[in-house]
Each structure stands twice: as structure tokens, then as C-alpha cells.
């Protein structure tokens, strides 16, 4: 069992940046293998943005945000970050982090992750 807490959401203008944090109740390494960021936009399915293989911090970023979003981790702080640059109004939504030990399919499939945070709201205005 692992408890996740997101932070860092807020309101920015188009072109701005935010860094989201996902802090775990225990060390990621040895507990889970994947920590991911998802986004929920009203009326749409929860979409995967980026995943980190925690053993060596290997990042996997979805093509939809590649070049603008990066995922990184700080094992000493039990924290995974999502750096978001060049934000657009379409990026507005609730951002969640999730973790799982074994993924038997797409790293960006929300249904395959067991542990979730409560989400943090991101608003991008034009």
C-alpha cells in the first residue's frame, strides 16, 4: 500500500509553466515500479501523460505532450514531478498521479493503476 499526494496546481496564463509534485508515503523504489501522471478533463476519459520507471527514473512521455511536459523523480524526497511548459487552455483539468507495481499493458492506461492521489487542479487562461 502506498499513499500519494499531489501538489503544485494553480492558475496560469497561456504559455506559462507549472511543476506538479507527487509525494508518496513511502519510498517508491521497492514498493512500486511505475509512477505516472494523468489528466482528467470534464467530459473526457482520464488520459495518461507521462510515466516513470522508478528503478532508474526512465521517463516515458505521451506524444500528445512530448516536448512540453517532462517527468522526473527525487528518491530522497519520495517525489515524482511533472514539469509543464508552454501551457495552453486545453491543458486545463485535474491532474492525478498514480502508481503500480506491474503494468500488463499500456503505461498510459488508467485502469491498470491501483494507487491514486486525490488530484490537483490546473487552470490555464487565454
Amino acid at each position: 500500500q502506498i499513499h500519494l499526494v499531489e501538489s503544485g496546481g494553480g492558475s496560469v496564463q497561456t504559455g506559462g509553466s507549472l511543476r506538479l509534485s507527487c509525494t508518496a508515503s513511502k519510498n517508491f523504489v521497492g514498493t512500486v515500479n511505475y509512477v505516472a501522471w494523468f489528466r482528467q478533463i470534464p467530459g473526457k476519459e482520464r488520459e495518461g501523460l507521462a510515466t516513470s520507471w522508478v528503478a532508474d527514473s526512465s521517463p516515458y512521455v505521451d506524444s500528445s505532450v512530448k516536448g512540453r511536459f517532462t517527468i522526473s523523480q527525487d528518491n530522497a524526497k519520495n517525489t515524482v514531478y511533472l514539469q509543464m511548459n508552454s501551457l495552453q487552455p486545453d491543458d486545463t483539468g485535474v491532474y492525478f498521479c498514480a502508481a503500480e507495481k506491474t503494468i500488463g499493458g499500456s503505461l498510459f492506461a488508467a485502469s491498470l493503476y491501483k494507487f491514486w492521489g486525490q488530484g490537483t487542479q490546473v487552470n490555464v487562461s487565454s
Side-chain angles (χ1 to χ4, degrees), residues 56-103:
D56 62 5
S57 305
S58 293
Y60 301 90
V61 182
D62 189 72
S63 58
S64 64
V65 295
K66 202 164 191 175
R68 296 194 301 127
F69 292 9
T70 57
I71 187 169
S72 62
Q73 66 187 64
D74 185 336
N75 291 341
K77 297 181 178 180
N78 296 338
T79 299
V80 172
Y81 303 99
L82 184 69
Q83 177 68 44
M84 305 186 297
N85 299 325
S86 302
L87 285 163
Q88 303 297 316
D90 287 349
D91 294 316
T92 294
V94 181
Y95 285 68
F96 298 88
C97 69
E100 182 56 86
K101 192 169 183 67
T102 303
I103 300 290

Side-chain angles (χ1 to χ4, degrees), residues 9-126:
S11 297
V12 296
Q13 292 188 325
T14 297
S17 298
L18 283 173
R19 188 177 77 160
L20 306 182
S21 300
C22 171
T23 301
S25 56
K26 60 174 69 175
N27 199 332
F28 285 121
V29 179
T31 305
V32 295
N33 289 320
Y34 301 94
V35 178
W37 283 98
F38 289 81
R39 174 171 67 196
Q40 182 86 59
I41 297 172
K44 294 188 176 182
E45 290 187 0
R46 194 168 294 188
E47 61 175 322
L49 304 173
T51 301
S52 180
W53 169 256
V54 296
D56 62 5
S57 305
S58 293
Y60 301 90
V61 182
D62 189 72
S63 58
S64 64
V65 295
K66 202 164 191 175
R68 296 194 301 127
F69 292 9
T70 57
I71 187 169
S72 62
Q73 66 187 64
D74 185 336
N75 291 341
K77 297 181 178 180
N78 296 338
T79 299
V80 172
Y81 303 99
L82 184 69
Q83 177 68 44
M84 305 186 297
N85 299 325
S86 302
L87 285 163
Q88 303 297 316
D90 287 349
D91 294 316
T92 294
V94 181
Y95 285 68
F96 298 88
C97 69
E100 182 56 86
K101 192 169 183 67
T102 303
I103 300 290
S106 169
L107 296 181
F108 303 119
S111 61
L112 299 182
Y113 287 81
K114 183 187 304 179
F115 305 107
W116 290 85
Q118 83 290 347
T120 185
Q121 179 72 44
V122 171
N123 295 311
V124 184
S125 59
S126 57

